[in-house]
Each structure stands twice: as structure tokens, then as C-alpha cells.
Amino acid sequence: MSPIALPTQHAAVLHGAKDLRLEDRTLWPPHQGQAQVAVMATGLCGSDLHYYAHGRNGDFVVQAPLVLGHEAAGIVTAVGPGVKHLVPGQRVAIEAGIMCNNCSYCAKGRYNLCKNMRFCSSAKTFPHADGTLQERMNHPAHVLHPLPDNCTFEQAALAEPLSVLLHAARRAELTPTSRSSVLVFGVGAIGLLACALAKSYGASRVVAIDINQTRLDFALKNGFAQQVYCLPAKDKAKTTDDALRQAKENIAAALTEFDMPDGFDIVFECTGAEPCIQMSIHAAVTGGKVMLVGMGARNVTLPLSAAATREVDIHGSFRYAHTYPTALALLASGKLPNIENIITHRLPLKDTARAFELLARGRDDEGNMVIKVMVGSQ
């Protein structure tokens, strides 16, 4: 028996595919270098949904009960020994990746590639690190970022997916002075953020392609994209050659529609779907860049000579590094108008399973589109 009864808190805990339980857990005080945060908002992500639906995300299989969630913000409730820059009551965004600060990648500032990264809500490492779908969590203070005064908890939760795009934009050398033309494949939450970021950077053109007209209408109506194109439904190609030819024809039609026959300076591929990755190479202008942001098909056949002979650079982009302060400042600045509109549904922690089912369906009971679901503390 402990002489001191420690408080408890609720957590939404995944035990296996579609087996999510609201549990009472002991709330331990923060250790050296940690702060305790009352989580106020968590945005649900596609990777969380994979874990919920299948008990795995690609190669990473849930081996022990795991708390999901990694797009979050909250209020500091306690600080551990040695924490100087945070005080109880302070509002913070939670950066979920805990880097080692000891490997060659961390030394180069590319901590997103850290060999010893522990990412909260990911089953990549074991023991797993729990995520943010809990009332309170202890987290290293050096990856807690103070919020600007006029940044809400929900906006701060969007700093995580926005960081993915800030990092991709840096790799693509998209800057406020580059005046680049930008094409985005896929207008889910990540694609919409790609459009919003490009627009805030003063891109000369921002257009989007998807297979879902409703989502494209949303992107237009909210001013994220200036023009959109819905890919026509076609029978699946029977051979690799057919698929490559179809991709080239489809994107040629889209470029004609956009009146950009030579292509776009930067293409953000946010679907992970093989046909879109193939199209993105033809969609880039000669000397342009393709940013692979979406995670999906693992092995893809590419029209590589069309990239090589036209010097189209294909860049991988994984998570983010040193982006949070920029992301939070941008969210607070008002330079991403209508960005909160991508949050289409809000549910309390006790309804986390329902939140995941909603995200999986893509539409609610009234037929409204689901883009970003936010789980609150109550």
C-alpha cells in the first residue's frame, strides 16, 4: 500500500483493432525535465486511424496497450525539477516526437530522422510512448511550446499537421519570396494545409486535384485553392504501361484545364496513391520539384526518365524539425484564413471511439463531410 494516494485520470487506450477503452490511470508527478500538461484538444490523424482500425500502421504493430493522439495542446499543471522556461497555468503545444539529441542527425538539426526517436502514439518503438488522448500527460519540457496569446488550443493542435507542411515547404524551397506556382494532390487535412501555406507564402498559383468533388468544393469555398480539378473515375489499368499512360493523359487534361501546359514549380503529393505519384512527375515544370508528403502505396512504378531528363527533383519529406514556433506564430497571425474550418467535428474524450468511427466513415449521420475531428478534454 502506498502511503500517498496518487490521483487518477482518464485515458483512451487502444488494446487492439477497434478495441478502445476509457481507463482510469494513475497520475504520476513529472520527472526531472518534464512538465505535466492537461490536454485540452487533440486532432485525430490518419496514422491514428490506421492503428485504431487495424491495430497497426504499416510495419508498426501495437504490441501493448497504447494511447493514440499526437496533434495536441493544453495547459501546464505542474513542472518537474530543472524546468525553468514553463510555469503552471501556461498554455502549450505538445510536440510529440522526443529526439535523443545525441545522434548525428540531431547534431545536424535533422532530428525528425533521429535514430532513437520516440514518438508519442507510434508503435515503432517498444515500449511504446503514449500519446495525447488522455486528460493529463507528463512530457519533456523542451518539446512543449508556449502558445501566442491569440492562439486557441484547437489552432495549436493544428500546429502538428501544419509542421509537416512547413518542413515539406522548406525542402521544396517554397518561400514568401519565391512566387512559385503550386499544385496539391489530395485535399484532406494535409492537402488543405498545403494549399493554405502556399497561399500565405504568396504563391503565384495554388490549385488542387482530388477524386472527391465535395472536398474540392470545400477547398474552393474556403479560399484554400484558386482552382480545382476532379479526376474522372476510370477503370483500373490492367498493366503497368497502361497505368503510366493513363496517368500521363489524366494530368495532361488537368494541366489544360488549369491553363498551365508546362506544369507547376512545386507539386505537393499528399495522397500516397500510386496514380497521383505518377501524375505528379508529369505535373511538375521542367526543373521543378515533387514533394512526397502522403503515406500510402509502399512500392510504386514511376516514369523516372520523365523526371531525370527534365531535372524534376523528387523529395521525400518525413514529419518535421524546428517548425513549431513558426507554425504557432503563423496560426496566430491570421495569415491562414478559414483554417479552423478544416475542423469539422468535435467530441469529448469519452467518445474517442465514436470520433474514430466518424473519421473512418468520412461522413456524419447527417451526410456532412468529415475532415479533421478534434477530441476535447471533457
Side-chain angles (χ1 to χ4, degrees), residues 54-71:
H54 310 292
R56 64 186 299 153
N57 184 26
D59 293 337
F60 309 145
V61 181
V62 175
Q63 301 170 59
L66 174 66
V67 176
L68 296 173
H70 55 266
E71 305 177 359

Side-chain angles (χ1 to χ4, degrees), residues 331-344:
L331 286 158
S333 70
K335 289 179 186 165
L336 302 173
N338 295 332
I339 203 67
E340 295 81 14
N341 291 355
I342 74 172
I343 303 166
T344 53

Side-chain angles (χ1 to χ4, degrees), residues 191-211:
L192 291 168
L193 284 162
C195 291
L197 182 63
K199 209 163 168 216
S200 81
Y201 277 5
S204 59
R205 283 289 294 283
V206 180
V207 306
I209 292 178
D210 202 298
I211 54 172

